[in-house]
Amino acid sequence: MKITAVDPFYLRMPNITTAADGTQDTLLVRIRTDTGIEGWGECDASPLVSLAVYCCPMSHGNIINIRTSLIGETLDSPDDVVRLSEKVLRNGLDIQQIQHAYSGAEIALWDVIGQQLEKPVYCLLAEISDTSDIAHPKLPYASVLFGDTSEDTYHIAAGLREQGYRAAKFGWGPMGKFGEANDIALVQAAREGMGPDAQIMIDAGVVWGTDYETAYQRAEAFAEFLPTWLEEPLAPDAIDAYDSLTEKNPSVPIAAGEGSSIYRMAEDLIVNGGIQFVQIDAGRIGGIMPSFKVRHLAERRGIQYVNHTFKSHLSLAAALHVFATNPDFDLLEYPAAGSELSQSLVVEPFPVESDGTVRVKELPGLGISINIEAIRPYLAPVRIEVGADTVFAQESL
Amino acid sequence: MKITAVDPFYLRMPNITTAADGTQDTLLVRIRTDTGIEGWGECDASPLVSLAVYCCPMSHGNIINIRTSLIGETLDSPDDVVRLSEKVLRNGLDIQQIQHAYSGAEIALWDVIGQQLEKPVYCLLAEISDTSDIAHPKLPYASVLFGDTSEDTYHIAAGLREQGYRAAKFGWGPMGKFGEANDIALVQAAREGMGPDAQIMIDAGVVWGTDYETAYQRAEAFAEFLPTWLEEPLAPDAIDAYDSLTEKNPSVPIAAGEGSSIYRMAEDLIVNGGIQFVQIDAGRIGGIMPSFKVRHLAERRGIQYVNHTFKSHLSLAAALHVFATNPDFDLLEYPAAGSELSQSLVVEPFPVESDGTVRVKELPGLGISINIEAIRPYLAPVRIEVGADTVFAQESL
């Protein structure tokens, strides 16, 4: 089949705040083909900046936009997805935003080819990599922000426990901003609210920059509350600081990687930074295939791959296909408190099943449907003019 | 003083081709202050994508545009430039394009503060780093594309020699695309055209991807023509392949780094890739300060820092200030065949002096003036609407 249309859609809530809540807006990408099959993907990125990568005028042979690279191309197999990804990235060699932007299209291409071949994406990945095609359930951890105080955090945690969550990650907000005692009180409150049997994870939201000594002290101080990991204590590119931190063997394992916008950044964190959990957002690193490559690196290095997902269940579907077939990679970031936009985006969100787990859908492609009627009110139509040319005019949703 | 305006301008030639010629368009950034001082910078990036980073609506606390971060801020010292850069990058943590886009503004901030303090930028850098403030001349190498054939390449090289160039870099075009014999013939033609006493450099334009064996074979085959370096034989993020290549000690030194859009990419190439020349574009890596940081890393590691500049002499000025004070870093990429736009962009381009060298200007700031009248015809006014909001409307030039 031929690719006939590649359309980005900028959706957003009416009021956007500075809170570290990635579900306030989104960029969806819809790919249509001449067979009538339609696939969708979602980017975790600035919607406008990424949208510009779909329509920017050519600057030279290394700055060619994504639409130009894809429209009219043949798509009949997973190999075609790989080939088209190489073309897009080569044509966009000098566009820094290329991976953030292309992620949505890459995910949509997998959705299309899965539907065409009537197989779930994880099965296609298993075929091309000659690995197991048996999917395993994941333990979802609710991904929430710390409350402003330890008391608020306790109530958030207790509420999650009541909802049945056996794991939860608390992040950002006050963590790291008001001294050690406050940081410890926040973690203690999360543990007490979730109870002694739950898994808790702590996300420091890059707050200590390159200060690995403070990160180490916090890891040691948090250890008595038994968090599964301490996430992003340092800046995403502070590889030497990560190395110094992990060399000290902190009592709490270190997690990082959500900021990986190219495969090498994840590889660098793993190989040179010594992290023990690598967290990859398929909506940032260029889609499903580079995420799958990081998963395999994690398998070879004996560390755990985890998804980073702070968007809708469309992103969650993409994330799940990447590592569904590895039973040891058993944790799933599960957005539990997203915006109305993100919660209404897919027709049937992934349920937490009676055994407390989440499973990839045994349906062709990503296995999800977009709730067009529900999200239409959130569309922010974009129009871009450059000189006398309209380089982008919004397609209807 | 206070920053009152931050304005990006998209300029382009009437016809843009796929040739690897970065001077066909550009993004300039003008910063104005309440004292009437005006500074300029240039990005080597997709103009539209980078412009979007100046005006994109906020998504959350990690996606805030550059204008919002800078306008109204105080700028009285180099420390303020550093502080503002930290703010911009922190606010843009989840915008992949942030460094490409911010480069122009960062360079403009240095231009402003240099004018305010009546010192050249390189002197300000010497002050804050407590290093020498004596500028040294550089040997410019003409940076040109290979001809389509070895015969064309010979004539290009001979023409450069007639113009007085003692060094020239030939790149891209047919290199690596038609087999070893053709590659060798191209290098031989460059050497013969430039003569036995000139320096020649070979830029393979990432043509061998991750295939370090072929890169090694070409380095060995080119060695008899004594090129100063073989540049970018591999993909910018193929660190393992660079490591494998440099471990084999090729007879021609390996150069790379122009694709570094964050400091870590350059550090990674140097520390883990083993390159011997690191080539940094201040218009991509986030401006003058991160380039200066790479220069210092190169000094510590005993390798050579070189600018990458394939834009106008505004970019050349920024590049020169970064490493003017190190006499050992004696080579300067000097755009010799740019578009009319790039050639007319500054009032007084950097001349090649009678001794064959180029010197940084002993004037406040960057030391250059923009030829507004000359470039106005190339302005491509941009207008961006998101929903009911006009998020960007072109300021006049």
Side-chain angles (χ1 to χ4, degrees), chain A residues 138 140 165 313 316 320 332 334 346 348-361 368:
Chain A
K138 307 293 179 194
Y165 283 105
H313 282 212
L316 193 64
L320 264 167
L332 179 77
Y334 183 88
V346 310
E348 289 185 43
F350 287 87
V352 178
E353 300 189 18
S354 54
D355 64 354
T357 65
V358 171
R359 290 164 187 269
V360 70
K361 303 205 179 192
I368 54 91

XYZ file of all heavy atoms in Angstrom, chain A residues 138 140 165 313 316 320 332 334 346 348-361 368:
198
model
N 1.858 -7.012 33.026
C 2.753 -6.076 33.733
C 2.052 -5.569 34.986
O 0.821 -5.417 35.000
C 3.065 -4.861 32.836
C 3.605 -5.196 31.455
C 4.971 -5.828 31.518
C 5.491 -6.172 30.121
N 6.666 -7.076 30.193
N 1.119 -2.533 36.897
C 1.088 -1.082 36.649
C 1.438 -0.308 37.907
O 0.993 -0.651 39.000
C -0.379 -0.842 36.269
C -1.131 -1.888 37.025
C -0.227 -3.096 37.064
N -4.095 -0.056 43.631
C -2.726 -0.056 43.101
C -1.771 -0.735 44.078
O -1.783 -0.433 45.273
C -2.247 1.371 42.830
C -2.841 1.932 41.561
C -3.860 2.876 41.613
C -2.387 1.488 40.326
C -4.417 3.376 40.449
C -2.945 1.989 39.154
C -3.952 2.924 39.222
O -4.491 3.413 38.076
N -3.454 6.687 26.772
C -3.294 5.242 26.590
C -2.929 4.860 25.163
O -2.618 3.694 24.906
C -4.552 4.510 27.082
C -4.588 4.393 28.577
N -5.159 3.345 29.244
C -4.090 5.214 29.548
C -5.028 3.533 30.559
N -4.395 4.658 30.764
N 0.519 4.531 25.896
C 0.682 3.325 26.713
C 0.681 2.076 25.826
O 1.452 1.133 26.064
C -0.448 3.243 27.746
C -0.244 2.222 28.865
C 0.963 2.596 29.718
C -1.497 2.132 29.737
N 3.693 -0.620 25.614
C 3.507 -2.032 25.969
C 4.034 -2.983 24.896
O 4.644 -4.008 25.205
C 2.020 -2.301 26.191
C 1.539 -2.248 27.640
C 0.017 -2.203 27.685
C 2.069 -3.442 28.442
N 5.138 -1.434 34.769
C 4.578 -0.595 33.697
C 4.171 0.761 34.263
O 3.323 0.828 35.166
C 3.328 -1.279 33.119
C 2.604 -0.515 32.002
C 3.361 -0.646 30.681
C 1.165 -1.026 31.843
N 1.966 3.675 34.440
C 0.554 3.701 34.065
C -0.015 5.045 34.504
O -0.170 5.289 35.707
C -0.152 2.553 34.786
C -1.617 2.366 34.457
C -2.018 1.578 33.386
C -2.603 2.969 35.235
C -3.362 1.380 33.098
C -3.955 2.777 34.952
C -4.329 1.991 33.883
O -5.646 1.798 33.604
N -8.578 7.529 24.044
C -8.836 6.234 23.389
C -10.188 5.698 23.850
O -10.653 6.001 24.952
C -7.708 5.200 23.639
C -6.338 5.799 23.328
C -7.748 4.652 25.035
N -11.250 2.552 24.455
C -11.196 1.628 25.598
C -9.807 1.663 26.210
O -8.896 0.980 25.730
C -11.514 0.202 25.143
C -12.958 -0.005 24.766
C -13.248 -1.477 24.446
O -12.769 -2.358 25.179
O -13.944 -1.713 23.447
N -9.636 2.449 27.272
C -8.319 2.485 27.932
C -7.948 1.094 28.453
O -8.811 0.220 28.591
C -8.533 3.463 29.090
C -9.734 4.258 28.721
C -10.603 3.351 27.899
N -6.682 0.922 28.747
C -6.217 -0.356 29.299
C -6.726 -0.489 30.725
O -6.368 0.320 31.579
C -4.692 -0.402 29.307
C -4.094 -0.570 27.944
C -3.832 0.535 27.142
C -3.806 -1.841 27.464
C -3.287 0.372 25.883
C -3.262 -2.004 26.200
C -3.005 -0.894 25.406
N -7.534 -1.524 31.001
C -7.992 -1.685 32.373
C -6.910 -2.349 33.236
O -6.059 -3.073 32.718
C -9.186 -2.632 32.219
C -8.840 -3.466 31.030
C -8.045 -2.570 30.108
N -6.960 -2.042 34.534
C -6.195 -2.853 35.475
C -7.069 -4.079 35.753
O -8.211 -3.949 36.209
C -5.899 -2.076 36.771
C -5.138 -2.966 37.755
C -5.092 -0.815 36.453
N -6.557 -5.238 35.431
C -7.395 -6.442 35.505
C -7.543 -6.926 36.941
O -6.929 -6.395 37.861
C -6.800 -7.507 34.581
C -6.768 -6.967 33.147
C -6.398 -7.978 32.092
O -6.475 -9.188 32.362
O -6.042 -7.540 30.989
N -8.378 -7.952 37.107
C -8.725 -8.397 38.466
C -7.494 -8.877 39.236
O -7.449 -8.793 40.459
C -9.778 -9.502 38.405
O -9.320 -10.550 37.563
N -6.487 -9.344 38.516
C -5.261 -9.777 39.209
C -4.289 -8.617 39.420
O -3.145 -8.833 39.805
C -4.580 -10.913 38.440
C -4.088 -10.474 37.063
O -4.378 -9.333 36.657
O -3.404 -11.268 36.388
N -4.758 -7.398 39.131
C -3.919 -6.218 39.379
C -2.927 -5.921 38.272
O -2.091 -5.021 38.427
N -3.016 -6.620 37.149
C -2.046 -6.404 36.080
C -2.685 -5.733 34.863
O -3.914 -5.616 34.767
C -1.412 -7.733 35.619
O -2.434 -8.544 35.027
C -0.772 -8.469 36.794
N -1.816 -5.316 33.941
C -2.243 -4.739 32.661
C -1.620 -5.578 31.549
O -0.458 -5.979 31.646
C -1.803 -3.265 32.551
C -2.037 -2.726 31.138
C -2.527 -2.401 33.573
N -2.421 -5.843 30.513
C -1.931 -6.672 29.400
C -2.046 -5.927 28.084
O -2.982 -5.155 27.874
C -2.779 -7.957 29.293
C -2.556 -8.926 30.414
C -3.657 -9.975 30.496
N -3.480 -10.786 31.694
C -2.766 -11.917 31.733
N -2.189 -12.375 30.632
N -2.619 -12.576 32.865
N -1.098 -6.199 27.207
C -1.157 -5.675 25.848
C -2.396 -6.252 25.163
O -2.836 -7.354 25.502
C 0.147 -6.048 25.088
C 0.206 -7.541 24.793
C 0.339 -5.224 23.836
N -2.987 -5.511 24.215
C -4.207 -5.996 23.562
C -3.862 -6.932 22.397
O -2.991 -6.621 21.576
C -5.036 -4.808 23.067
C -5.367 -3.858 24.230
C -6.611 -3.034 24.017
C -6.828 -2.170 25.259
N -8.124 -1.517 25.315
N -5.745 -0.211 19.652
C -6.609 0.797 20.274
C -7.313 1.625 19.189
O -6.892 1.651 18.032
C -5.835 1.744 21.214
C -4.651 2.373 20.499
C -5.354 1.014 22.454
C -4.966 3.628 19.853
